[in-house]
Amino acid sequence: MGELTQPAERFRSVAREKLADQGIQAAVDSSTDRLRTGRLRAWNELDDVERLRDAAHDVRMRAVRDLDRYLAQFTSSLEARGGHVAVCATPEEACGYIVDVCRARGATLVAKAKSMVAEEIELNAALEAAGIKPVETDLGEYILQLEDEHPVHIIAPAIEKTKEDVARLFSRVEGREIEPELEELTLAARRQLRQVFMDAEVGITGANFLVAETGTIVTVTNEGNARFVSSLPPVHIAVTGIERLVPTLADLAPLLTLLGRSGTGQRLTSYTQLITGARREGEEDGPEDLHIVLIENGRRNLLGTRYEEMLACIRCGACLNVCPVYRKTAGSAYGPVYSGPMGAVLAPLLVGIEQAPSLPHASSLCGACTEACPVKIPLHELLLELRRDLVEETVASRRERLAFALWSLAWSRPAGYRLSTRLARLAQRLVGRVGPGRSWTAGRALPVLPRQRFRDGRA
């Protein structure tokens, strides 16, 4: 849980650093603009995108609202095909199970494909503490591992890095200079990772969806590494949240149609893999031993609440690419795991709002995130609900609560409203010079209030 907690001032301090770095600003802006434009183009190719979004929302919410039923069905289906399912309440329990599986195999090297849940439970640290070396094989994650940094975007984890940054890291690994050219960098990554695929005793992936009907694990990626990780090592461990279930194989259709288009603007991602059980007799590849580790870690607390729809998220990253706050502050300001609007909602819900009090305010509430979400999660409304919780649970500062209480009191009566708007016009010159107003106007112009209010002009 420590990965998701965030001191109150962390967002602002990290955001200031990112705003001052013109290289990061340019990299994030160009990448998110490309992804946003790709999504819009891909959505426009669909005959009825709203119908698909409604269907995808229905699929996800049917699974969420009957989670125990589908969890039991998935477990039964997978175990009938030789797999093992572990439902873990805490990160510690999940890491302990995975470490035990690795030790039972005598593993010293683990090849990992990208998994945000593995980041959430701090799996790499647990493996290293047990003397097991984890190597990230997703290109973005591998770059960040070399730099000892965390992902800053769900689907483009190294979005802040330039090709010069990557060349510097790869040169350090090989002990010779690697040119900052895409072809050279790709060849270097292949050289550095190829033997890892061959030597790893255990492969660890995430899972985009879990099909309850058949016990199928679905991975959706744009690199071939996940296929290597799930098929070459004798043991495959898939780590994901308990909410990633879908009832049937047919239910994958709207989700897969929207996932690639929303994430990268592709009609379908390069590698969509369905894994049903361990290797069977006569099959040439696939793991001898298959384990699915399902993480609860606060997710059950959302069931039946006004935040339940957050569990429908399919981790496409579309909300990040349209969010004006994310596009300027970059992902690391939100914390080391989930970023952007979905992270601003999810992280406080998983760890408790008092552990991440700044995140509900990391939004302009423009609603672009809700409009971009392929499964129609009302993200900006959930952020408003979290802000309300900050006040009700007295997590917000006393000064902030007092200010809003006085404002509410004044504007709940016509006389108070009239007086406050009259005083606002008289005091507007002071607002930009003192207190919070000075910080607010440091980067924006304060609109000038007209001399005559609307109600003053009425006959």
Side-chain angles (χ1 to χ4, degrees), residues 93-342:
E93 183 181 345
C95 288
Y97 179 90
I98 294 168
V99 167
D100 287 345
V101 171
C102 292
R103 282 175 170 165
R105 193 74 193 191
T108 58
L109 176 64
V110 167
K112 290 178 75 258
K114 184 164 72 69
S115 167
M116 298 306 292
V117 172
E119 294 282 344
E120 178 185 327
I121 65 174
E122 302 180 69
L123 179 57
N124 281 3
L127 290 169
E128 290 167 356
I132 302 165
K133 181 182 180 181
V135 177
E136 301 287 352
T137 63
D138 173 271
L139 181 57
E141 292 275 2
Y142 177 60
I143 291 166
L144 294 175
Q145 187 177 33
L146 294 178
E147 193 79 299
D148 194 25
E149 293 180 358
H150 293 280
V152 295
H153 193 286
I154 294 175
I155 62 166
I159 198 171
E160 296 180 354
K161 300 297 183 186
T162 65
K163 60 184 180 181
E164 288 76 18
D165 295 328
V166 178
R168 171 178 54 82
L169 292 168
F170 285 1
S171 297
R172 190 174 69 193
V173 171
E174 298 202 3
R176 64 183 182 87
E177 185 175 354
I178 305 295
E179 292 296 320
E181 302 296 334
L182 295 182
E183 184 175 354
E184 288 299 314
L185 296 175
T186 301
L187 290 173
R190 287 177 176 173
R191 286 193 300 270
Q192 294 171 23
L193 291 173
R194 182 177 287 117
Q195 201 59 43
V196 173
F197 293 123
M198 302 300 294
D199 294 343
E201 299 97 343
V202 175
I204 297 177
T205 71
N208 293 85
F209 305 110
L210 305 170
V211 183
E213 175 186 47
T214 57
T216 300
I217 307 158
V218 184
T219 62
V220 181
T221 65
N222 270 316
E223 299 175 26
N225 65 309
R227 284 193 172 180
F228 285 135
V229 168
S230 61
S231 60
L232 289 178
V235 179
H236 174 203
I237 304 173
V239 186
T240 194
I242 57 171
E243 80 281 9
R244 306 311 293 275
L245 291 157
V246 298
T248 69
L249 279 173
D251 290 325
L252 289 174
L255 296 171
L256 293 177
T257 300
L258 287 168
L259 179 56
R261 293 173 185 267
S262 300
T264 57
Q266 297 167 276
R267 293 179 180 178
L268 194 66
T269 43
S270 301
Y271 301 94
T272 300
Q273 187 175 16
L274 279 67
I275 303 169
T276 306
R279 184 194 306 179
R280 289 176 280 274
E281 187 176 350
E283 293 180 337
E284 296 183 359
D285 60 13
E288 302 167 8
D289 199 13
L290 176 63
H291 296 259
I292 313 303
V293 181
L294 301 178
I295 313 297
E296 291 185 3
N297 197 26
R299 287 163 171 78
R300 281 193 180 277
N301 297 335
L302 309 188
L303 296 176
T305 73
R306 63 188 186 276
Y307 297 115
E308 187 176 57
E309 283 181 281
M310 193 61 225
L311 295 175
C313 177
I314 60 173
R315 307 295 195 270
C316 66
C319 63
L320 283 69
N321 302 326
V322 299
C323 177
V325 177
Y326 174 86
R327 294 184 68 179
K328 288 300 178 186
T329 59
S332 52
Y334 293 82
V337 186
Y338 303 114
S339 54
M342 64 79 59

